[in-house]
């Protein structure tokens, strides 16, 4: 379960907005999939005669087919009426113009109806999918056309809503080639990379202060890019002022993947400097709300472990709340210096070459899938858990709740969904993926997860929500953690949750959560991303939203 806990203030300050979510170059995901469901095979008519016309549909499907087309036409007319005034009339006064909120509500309602229709069309498709009857093939062809058209209309509606952005993008999605939640095909041949060849006596001193572990991992990843651009070795923060990264990450893995020493732990660096570290130059990336986004308490902690710092300077006006897009050239121009040890402060919110930095595998040339990934012990433990409880086909759900109500309701639209609505969204995806088991990573109370469990069904049966059980000596899947004395560490458990989720067949994430974004980063790098991956109830708004305080 998600062990990242924080109070409401921390959630509001450090969770990222979904419209800031980095897009991968493989970002466009179809909003529908077609399953091969053996439970919906279409019986054949023994005496049926092959016919080529799609209008000679056998009576068993005719009514369903006509109903689908009629409902589709109704939705088209509904969408047409929404925009009728703005397209065909010139309003005489402001009162004649539909308010933006009303237009938005109408569009979202149309989108909801399209999704309902899509589900029914896919169900009809599944009933004909395994039939050799020519009439059924004709029906299937028409249904594919209607599903494809439905999807295009959904994408057109989503394009005007920031929250509707999909997780993965491809070129034009070909529905006839897809019958399940296939993996996203990564084209790594066009990956843009930079060689990380640091000067051995030049260092970038990493400082990460915002949020929790997921934020710090993103901050660390961005520091790696800065270090590569500035030709410096990156110094990993000390566990005395930051998280104990060596318990969750394989630091040596980074050096092996790049083929040279590019990162060094604080402890190793401290020994090289004979137990006295001085940061020769501090050039702050962020100037607001405070220089380097570092408070006095953090500076005191650094001094307490023997780190002294030169005068803090800012290179430009940059606010963490409204970061400007920056290029690599700007970074080189502002932060290049000949000082031995350089610090630039927390860069979690930095917007530098986003498409490049967030591509699968990251921006740095290396021989591995990802540079920042779980330690070998955590990876093996995750694999053993999957072999014990889940098997290779499972959906992973990051169901963030603690502090999320206030955080989401501060956004427009909100991303905090009532449990019944969330269960309906999850059930639809489970049906589409045809995967009858869910791994649940959550910080929700048992009262919420219990209700969620009772409402998620597939083919009339409750879909089990699997969470990691408490340690039991009779179970051996977590023996490695116990032997390495890593059991009970909340950050290790959080990374274990991420790893299990990153290995799932399909992933449902929490919009705005850096925990989710780190899972997506791993899925992009490991090649486990699915075209069915999505944020919870993506494209919808909560059917009930509480008022402000």
């Amino acid at each position: 379960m998600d062990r990242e806990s924080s109070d409401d203030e921390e959630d509001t300050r450090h969770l990222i907005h979904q419209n800031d979510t980095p897009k991968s170059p493989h970002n466009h995901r179809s909003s529908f999939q077609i399953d091969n469901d053996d439970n919906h095979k279409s019986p054949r008519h023994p005496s049926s005669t092959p016919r080529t016309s799609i209008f000679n549909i056998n009576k068993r499907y005719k009514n369903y087919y006509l109903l689908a087309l009629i409902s589709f036409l109704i939705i088209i007319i509904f969408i047409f009426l929404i925009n009728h005034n703005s397209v065909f009339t010139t309003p005489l006064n402001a009162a004649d113009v539909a308010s933006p909120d009303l237009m938005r509500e109408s569009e979202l309602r149309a989108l909801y109806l399209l999704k309902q229709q899509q589900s029914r069309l896919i169900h009809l498709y599944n009933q004909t999918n395994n039939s050799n009857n020519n009439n059924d093939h004709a029906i299937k062809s028409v249904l594919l056309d209607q599903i494809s058209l439905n999807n295009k209309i959904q994408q057109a509606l989503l394009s005007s809503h920031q929250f509707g952005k999909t997780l993965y993008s491809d070129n034009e999605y070909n529905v006839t080639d897809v019958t399940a939640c296939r993996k996203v095909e990564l084209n790594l041949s066009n990956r843009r990379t930079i060689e990380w060849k640091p000067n051995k006596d030049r260092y970038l001193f990493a400082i990460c202060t915002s949020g929790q572990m997921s934020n710090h991992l993103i901050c660390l990843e961005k520091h790696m890019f800065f270090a590569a651009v500035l030709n410096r070795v990156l110094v990993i923060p000390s566990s005395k002022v930051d998280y104990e990264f060596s318990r969750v990450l394989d630091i040596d893995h980074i050096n092996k993947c790049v083929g040279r020493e590019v990162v060094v732990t604080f402890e190793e660096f401290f020994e090289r400097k004979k137990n006295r570290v001085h940061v020769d130059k501090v050039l702050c990336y962020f100037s607001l709300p405070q220089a380097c986004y570092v408070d006095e308490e953090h500076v005191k902690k650094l001094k307490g472990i023997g780190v002294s710092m030169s005068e803090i300077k800012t290179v430009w006006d940059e606010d963490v709340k409204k970061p400007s897009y920056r290029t690599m050239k700007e970074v080189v121009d502002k932060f290049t210096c000949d000082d031995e040890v350089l610090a630039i402060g927390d860069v979690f919110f930095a917007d530098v070459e986003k498409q490049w930095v967030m591509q699968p595998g990251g921006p740095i040339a290396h021989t591995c899938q990802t540079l920042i990934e779980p330690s070998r012990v955590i990876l093996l433990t995750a694999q053993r858990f999957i072999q014990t409880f889940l098997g290779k086909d499972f959906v992973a759900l990051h169901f963030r709740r603690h502090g999320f109500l206030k955080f989401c309701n501060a956004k427009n639209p909100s991303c905090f969904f009532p449990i019944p609505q969330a269960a309906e969204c999850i059930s639809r995806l489970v049906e589409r993926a045809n995967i009858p088991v869910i791994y649940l990573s959550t910080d929700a109370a048992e009262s919420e997860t219990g209700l969620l469990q009772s409402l998620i069904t597939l083919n009339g049966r409750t879909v089990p929500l699997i969470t990691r059980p408490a340690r039991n000596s009779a179970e051996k899947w977590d023996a490695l953690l116990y032997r390495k004395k890593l059991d009970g560490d909340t950050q290790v458990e959080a990374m274990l949750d991420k790893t299990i989720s990153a290995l799932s067949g399909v992933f449902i994430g929490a919009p705005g959560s850096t925990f989710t974004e780190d899972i997506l980063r791993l899925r992009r790098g490991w090649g486990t991303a699915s075209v069915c991956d999505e944020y919870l109830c993506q494209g919808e708004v909560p059917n009930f939203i509480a008022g402000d305080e």
Side-chain angles (χ1 to χ4, degrees):
M1 291 181 287
D2 186 346
R3 300 311 205 270
E4 292 194 315
S5 63
S6 62
D7 57 25
D8 291 347
E9 181 181 358
E10 285 299 298
D11 286 316
T12 305
R13 288 176 56 201
H14 301 307
L15 291 168
I16 65 175
H17 293 283
Q18 185 172 345
N19 58 342
D20 292 333
T21 300
K23 295 188 227 173
S24 112
H26 307 275
N27 278 48
H28 178 79
R29 197 190 87 294
S30 172
S31 57
F32 70 91
Q33 303 303 324
I34 303 169
D35 315 329
N36 285 324
D37 188 345
D38 293 337
N39 295 324
H40 296 296
K41 291 183 180 179
S42 171
R44 301 189 181 101
H45 290 268
S47 59
S48 61
T49 304
R51 300 179 184 179
T52 58
S53 172
I54 64 171
F55 297 102
N56 292 325
I57 302 172
N58 62 56
K59 294 181 180 180
R60 205 167 69 80
Y61 296 115
K62 190 171 183 179
N63 291 336
Y64 293 110
Y65 173 62
L66 290 176
L67 179 62
L69 289 182
I70 291 171
S71 65
F72 189 76
L73 290 174
I74 291 173
I75 294 174
I76 295 299
I77 294 171
F78 180 73
I79 297 172
F80 173 80
L81 291 176
I82 291 173
N83 298 287
H84 180 269
N85 287 339
S86 61
V87 176
F88 292 102
T89 65
T90 302
L92 298 178
N93 52 61
D96 296 328
V97 184
S99 71
D101 288 343
L102 181 59
M103 293 287 288
R104 185 184 187 89
E105 182 180 348
S106 299
E107 290 176 354
L108 292 174
R109 179 61 181 166
L111 182 63
Y112 173 78
L113 293 173
L114 281 166
K115 281 185 172 291
Q116 295 297 312
Q117 184 206 47
Q118 178 190 85
S119 178
R120 289 173 175 80
L121 288 171
I122 291 174
H123 181 72
L124 288 175
Y125 176 90
N126 287 334
Q127 289 185 312
T128 64
N129 198 35
N130 296 296
S131 172
N132 291 322
N133 187 292
N134 283 353
N135 286 333
D136 289 344
H137 282 303
I139 296 171
K140 185 166 68 173
S141 176
V142 175
L143 287 174
L144 283 172
D145 288 339
Q146 296 304 311
I147 293 170
S148 180
L149 182 58
N150 175 293
N151 182 60
K152 290 177 181 178
I153 295 173
Q154 285 193 51
Q155 294 302 318
L157 286 171
L158 284 170
S159 66
S160 63
H161 298 282
Q162 291 179 333
F163 69 88
K165 293 178 181 177
T166 53
L167 295 182
Y168 305 104
S169 106
D170 257 336
N171 294 328
E172 184 66 20
Y173 190 69
N174 187 354
V175 64
T176 59
D177 293 336
V178 179
T179 56
C181 292
R182 63 177 175 82
K183 299 299 181 185
V184 173
E185 296 178 6
L186 300 179
N187 183 11
L188 299 180
S189 60
N190 296 325
R191 180 168 163 254
R192 180 187 176 190
T193 60
I194 181 174
E195 293 285 341
W196 191 354
K197 296 181 177 180
N199 298 317
K200 292 183 179 180
D201 59 349
R202 294 294 180 267
Y203 300 91
L204 179 62
F205 191 86
I207 297 176
C208 297
T209 61
S210 59
Q212 300 174 66
M213 174 64 89
S214 296
N215 297 51
H216 287 231
L217 289 176
I218 294 172
C219 172
L220 204 60
E221 183 181 26
K222 291 184 178 181
H223 261 100
M224 289 168 54
F225 179 66
F226 278 89
V229 168
L230 299 173
N231 300 317
R232 291 178 174 269
V233 175
L234 182 65
V235 181
I236 304 295
S238 167
S239 60
K240 295 179 180 179
V241 298
D242 206 328
Y243 292 104
E244 196 167 356
F245 292 107
S246 61
R247 292 176 70 85
V248 297
L249 302 177
D250 188 346
I251 305 299
D252 289 337
H253 163 83
I254 299 173
N255 291 326
K256 290 176 183 177
C257 292
V258 178
R260 60 185 67 90
E261 184 182 75
V262 293
V263 295
V264 61
T265 66
F266 175 83
E267 290 70 25
E268 292 171 326
F269 185 59
F270 199 60
E271 288 183 10
R272 293 180 189 181
K273 292 300 178 180
K274 298 179 180 179
N275 300 339
R276 186 172 181 178
V277 174
H278 179 68
V279 180
D280 302 295
K281 182 161 286 188
V282 183
L283 301 175
C284 296
Y285 186 95
F286 284 104
S287 57
L288 295 172
Q290 66 259 359
C292 286
Y293 203 46
V294 176
D295 55 27
E296 293 183 2
E297 182 181 354
H298 194 82
V299 174
K300 288 180 181 178
K301 287 182 179 180
L302 289 173
K303 290 181 179 179
I305 61 172
V307 177
S308 59
M309 303 177 70
S310 61
E311 181 184 358
I312 295 177
K313 299 179 181 179
T314 57
V315 300
W316 50 34
D317 292 331
E318 194 71 62
D319 190 340
V320 296
K321 294 181 180 179
K322 297 179 180 179
S324 304
Y325 175 77
R326 302 291 183 177
T327 65
M328 184 178 72
K329 183 179 183 304
E330 288 178 291
V331 171
V332 172
D333 290 343
K334 292 293 185 180
F335 296 98
T336 297
C337 63
D338 196 41
D339 297 86
E340 184 179 3
V341 183
L342 168 70
I344 59 177
D346 192 305
V347 291
F348 168 74
F349 294 99
D351 184 5
V352 178
E353 304 282 5
K354 183 180 293 184
Q355 295 293 332
W356 186 9
V357 171
M358 295 303 175
Q359 66 183 330
I364 297 169
H366 58 83
T367 58
C368 303
Q369 293 178 308
T370 60
L371 288 182
I372 296 181
E373 66 178 25
S375 68
R376 181 67 176 168
V377 171
I378 292 177
L379 178 59
L380 287 174
T381 301
Q383 292 173 344
R384 291 179 177 185
F385 178 86
I386 292 170
Q387 183 177 357
T388 303
F389 293 99
L390 299 169
K392 73 180 184 69
D393 295 322
F394 67 97
V395 174
L397 167 64
H398 177 217
F399 193 57
R400 178 66 189 270
R401 302 297 274 186
H402 177 73
F404 230 46
L405 177 57
K406 182 177 180 180
F407 167 74
C408 282
N409 281 359
K411 300 173 62 178
N412 185 20
S414 173
C415 55
F416 191 88
F417 293 90
I419 298 272
Q421 185 179 1
E424 184 179 346
C425 296
I426 297 166
S427 295
R428 285 201 302 266
L429 184 58
V430 167
E431 180 181 10
R432 191 157 78 237
N434 194 28
I435 299 177
V437 63
I438 298 174
Y439 177 68
L440 177 63
S441 173
T442 187
D443 55 7
E446 186 176 347
S447 57
E448 294 187 59
T449 57
L451 177 59
L452 184 69
Q453 171 67 91
S454 68
L455 295 175
I456 299 177
T457 59
L458 176 64
N459 298 326
R461 296 182 179 179
T462 301
V463 178
L465 299 179
I466 308 298
T467 58
R468 286 184 295 104
R471 172 160 175 76
N472 187 328
S473 59
E475 297 174 0
K476 299 302 180 183
W477 65 269
D478 59 350
L480 279 175
L481 296 183
Y482 182 74
R483 289 206 301 265
K484 298 291 184 179
K485 297 182 179 180
L486 295 173
D487 59 309
D489 186 316
T490 56
Q491 297 309 321
V492 171
E493 291 179 344
M495 183 59 78
L496 180 57
D497 260 12
K498 288 182 183 180
T499 308
I500 295 170
S501 298
L503 294 172
S504 65
V506 175
F507 175 62
I508 305 173
S513 168
T514 53
F515 191 92
T516 279
E517 296 309 316
D518 205 36
I519 293 171
L520 294 174
R521 177 187 63 81
L522 286 173
R523 290 177 69 78
R524 288 194 297 266
W526 287 350
T528 56
S530 164
V531 295
C532 292
D533 288 358
E534 65 180 35
Y535 295 110
L536 179 64
C537 292
Q538 183 167 299
E540 297 184 26
V541 294
N543 57 33
F544 184 87
I545 299 176
D548 297 330
E549 293 180 6

